Amino acid sequence: MAYTDLADLVRALERSGELVRVKAPVDPDLEVTGIVQRVVRDRGPALLFENPTRGRMPLLMNLFGTTSRMCRALGVSDLDEIGDRIAGLLKPELPQGFGGFREALGKAAQLRNAPPRHGKRARCQEVVLRGEDVDLDLLPGVRSWPGDGGVFLNLGLTHTKHPETGARNLGMYRLQQQDRRTVSLHWQIHKDSTSHAAIAERRGDRLPVAIAFGCPPAVTYAASAPLPADIDEYLFAGFLQRERVELVDCLTVPLQVPANAQVVLEGWVEPGARLPEGPFGDHTGFYTPVEPFPYMHVDVMTTREKPIYQSIVVGRPPQEDGPLGKATERIFRPLIRLTIPEIVDYDLPEAGVFHNCAIVSIHKRFPKHAHKVMNAIWGAGLLSLSKLIVVVDADCDVHDYNEVAWRAFGNVDYAHDVVHMTGPVDHLDHSSYEQFYGGKLGIDATAKLPTEGYRREGGWPEACVLDQSTVELVQRRWREYGIS
């Protein structure tokens, strides 16, 4: 089972030696980043800074910094286990016999445990600060990079709802602390909260907002997941952790937050209100410029009696958000294959910050099949923001970058096998000459068919590999060769 309380996971990691308590005073202004950078690159432990020089609560960093800890937080031994559960739910077959009926009931039970429920105990509201008592400086907010425009409260989960339908949205957006009671909301153009704010503004209404820190790990992950707008993140989080998420009503806004959160901010966004936000060293590894964004005036701040403030450093890969992105890649694989069934597997390289490059393997069946897949990906949710797509044959391991490079470098005639187009790109993309759209490239690195125009005598050549009998012979006799 996944951990439904962040504090429980912290204790479990400490018992297993995967968390280190840093007792020395450490400055959240740049010094924390310097420490976290070294630990992340060494695939080191989670860090609990017990005496940060800003704020009045411990600072938790690098919780998701390795794939193994990401798995542990979600209660699995391998991230593909979650994808397999989703794939099982998507199977349309009718149950056959008693065994099939029992399996169908098991699937129904998974969904029955998914919807959130109203909690009886609001641990996140044990301490309540109102009005002038609200002070964001109580949080050990981090300034990660020298050029950052100030302190950013990263890893806060932002709650809004559609002003007309009431549909809830939970998202993970960067949050700049402007003063003791004001937080800027970096709502990018492609995000659902941007839509909620635009509708409220058109109606002349203010928008209620709640921001929760230190939530159950499955909830934190769900906030980052690229779910369709009509899929409730708390339903998804309940599915992930196999237990319904407990929610409690906020004190001053018509929203609900996790009862087990560590810290919650409540407030409103006034229509048309903007403040300059940024610069910020983002996950691309570059500073994003100052832009006007909505901001939230915090009316109420609630916490546990002994809260932990969880945050994250983002920047040039590798960073802690790498395993979060890899979780999305593996968990959403069945949904991608449901939309594009010829896909065998795919990889979103961390160095490509998960939207600059997608490597896809396919079962190729007809001429220009790879081109069809490229266009399908460029129309698939947030995968539409992919700038580079490399398509390889089914026998290629998309996670072996040497294998992929060998095919992409050697299997491509760049006069015939490349698709170049213009389309939407990520809000944070710095390389596009115009914001929000730019060039995209698709590379067909599959073996080419005569019907695609490959007319050379003998057809596509066969790759030179050893026969299986020789491989098995060497394996049997390896010790006889005396090679260490």
Side-chain angles (χ1 to χ4, degrees):
M1 298 287 286
Y3 291 86
T4 59
D5 191 317
L6 178 66
D8 291 339
L9 177 57
V10 168
R11 285 189 286 268
L13 291 175
E14 186 172 22
R15 286 194 299 268
S16 63
E18 294 184 75
L19 179 136
V20 171
R21 291 179 179 267
V22 180
K23 298 184 181 300
V26 176
D27 192 348
D29 191 86
L30 303 182
E31 187 179 5
V32 162
T33 301
I35 296 170
V36 170
Q37 291 294 282
R38 291 186 62 171
V39 173
V40 167
R41 280 162 172 72
D42 291 340
R43 300 185 182 276
L47 302 171
L48 186 63
F49 296 95
E50 293 188 325
N51 296 291
T53 58
R54 177 191 296 121
R56 296 185 184 175
M57 56 189 73
L59 170 62
L60 177 63
M61 304 290 290
N62 199 35
L63 182 75
F64 303 121
T66 64
T67 301
S68 64
R69 282 204 300 277
M70 188 75 236
C71 289
R72 188 166 182 179
L74 297 179
V76 296
S77 58
D78 190 291
L79 292 170
D80 280 319
E81 290 179 26
I82 301 173
D84 292 342
R85 285 175 58 204
I86 293 175
L89 290 174
L90 295 175
K91 289 181 180 178
E93 298 92 342
L94 292 174
Q96 299 292 323
F98 179 76
F101 183 66
R102 182 172 55 193
E103 183 181 352
L105 288 178
K107 293 179 181 179
Q110 290 189 59
L111 296 178
R112 186 174 63 248
N113 294 332
R117 60 188 173 91
H118 195 276
K120 296 180 180 179
R121 183 186 179 196
R123 299 195 65 188
C124 63
Q125 295 171 352
E126 291 172 340
V127 177
V128 179
L129 303 175
R130 299 176 184 268
E132 292 303 317
D133 291 332
V134 171
D135 186 359
L136 296 177
D137 289 333
L138 296 174
L139 307 176
V142 174
R143 186 171 77 99
S144 299
W145 306 105
D148 282 356
V151 169
F152 284 82
L153 308 177
N154 295 332
L155 220 61
L157 310 189
T158 301
H159 300 69
T160 60
K161 66 178 181 178
H162 194 290
E164 296 171 345
T165 68
R168 170 172 49 212
N169 181 65
L170 175 64
M172 188 182 292
Y173 314 108
R174 79 183 193 219
L175 308 162
Q176 182 175 358
Q177 179 180 334
Q178 297 283 0
D179 57 39
R180 293 174 59 248
R181 296 184 60 190
T182 308
V183 177
S184 284
L185 306 162
H186 190 266
W187 285 343
Q188 299 174 29
I189 191 171
H190 302 110
K191 306 299 184 180
D192 293 328
S193 286
T194 306
S195 173
H196 292 181
I199 294 169
E201 194 164 289
R202 188 176 67 240
R203 292 161 53 98
D205 297 336
R206 58 181 187 163
L207 184 73
V209 178
I211 303 172
F213 298 89
C215 295
V219 174
T220 299
Y221 169 70
S224 74
L227 294 169
D230 56 350
I231 300 295
D232 180 41
E233 285 83 6
Y234 280 110
L235 179 73
F236 185 56
F239 170 81
L240 291 176
Q241 66 182 27
R242 299 176 183 264
E243 185 175 335
R244 300 170 72 180
V245 179
E246 283 196 26
L247 300 179
V248 293
D249 295 331
C250 291
L251 301 180
T252 59
V253 293
L255 297 168
Q256 293 183 319
V257 292
N260 284 341
Q262 300 285 322
V263 177
V264 176
L265 310 178
E266 301 179 14
W268 300 82
V269 172
E270 300 293 337
R274 302 286 189 275
L275 281 175
E277 192 269 358
F280 179 68
D282 219 308
H283 69 273
T284 60
F286 294 88
Y287 291 106
T288 51
V290 175
E291 293 183 85
F293 277 97
Y295 62 89
M296 166 188 174
H297 190 68
V298 182
D299 296 324
V300 170
M301 177 178 178
T302 70
T303 74
R304 292 190 178 196
E305 288 183 355
K306 295 182 178 180
I308 297 171
Y309 175 71
Q310 184 185 6
S311 191
I312 191 172
V313 170
V314 297
R316 180 174 175 174
Q319 300 288 349
E320 182 184 347
D321 58 354
L324 282 164
K326 187 57 66 172
T328 293
E329 175 198 290
R330 304 325 301 161
I331 290 170
F332 282 81
R333 177 172 170 258
L335 297 177
I336 298 299
R337 295 185 67 189
L338 183 67
T339 306
I340 315 170
E342 52 266 76
I343 287 180
V344 176
D345 201 357
Y346 76 122
D347 184 279
L348 304 176
E350 184 178 356
V353 294
F354 301 105
H355 55 69
N356 284 340
C357 179
I359 303 166
V360 183
S361 59
I362 66 168
H363 287 295
K364 184 172 178 179
R365 297 188 295 107
F366 48 80
K368 300 299 181 183
H369 197 165
H371 295 219
K372 180 260 188 187
V373 170
M374 295 172 198
N375 285 288
I377 292 172
W378 281 323
L382 289 180
L383 275 178
S384 64
L385 303 179
S386 301
K387 294 203 299 181
L388 173 64
I389 299 174
V390 180
V391 183
V392 294
D393 287 303
D395 63 342
C396 178
D397 180 359
V398 294
H399 310 296
D400 183 342
Y401 297 154
N402 285 330
E403 171 78 5
V404 172
W406 177 66
R407 302 199 187 210
F409 298 159
N411 282 6
V412 180
D413 180 339
Y414 292 95
H416 299 277
D417 303 331
V418 173
V419 175
H420 187 219
M421 61 168 287
T422 300
V425 297
D426 187 79
H427 190 127
L428 303 178
D429 187 89
H430 62 279
S431 65
S432 57
Y433 283 42
E434 298 289 340
Q435 193 174 28
F436 307 131
Y437 72 92
K440 295 168 174 286
L441 192 68
I443 298 177
D444 178 2
T446 63
K448 304 308 180 300
L449 305 172
T451 48
E452 292 178 296
Y454 189 82
R455 307 294 188 188
R456 294 178 63 172
E457 185 176 352
W460 192 260
E462 181 181 354
C464 48
V465 295
L466 279 175
D467 59 282
Q468 189 60 30
S469 62
T470 302
V471 172
E472 293 172 357
L473 171 66
V474 170
Q475 186 174 0
R476 288 195 307 269
R477 299 189 56 194
W478 183 253
R479 290 186 179 180
E480 298 178 28
Y481 301 142
I483 303 172
S484 58

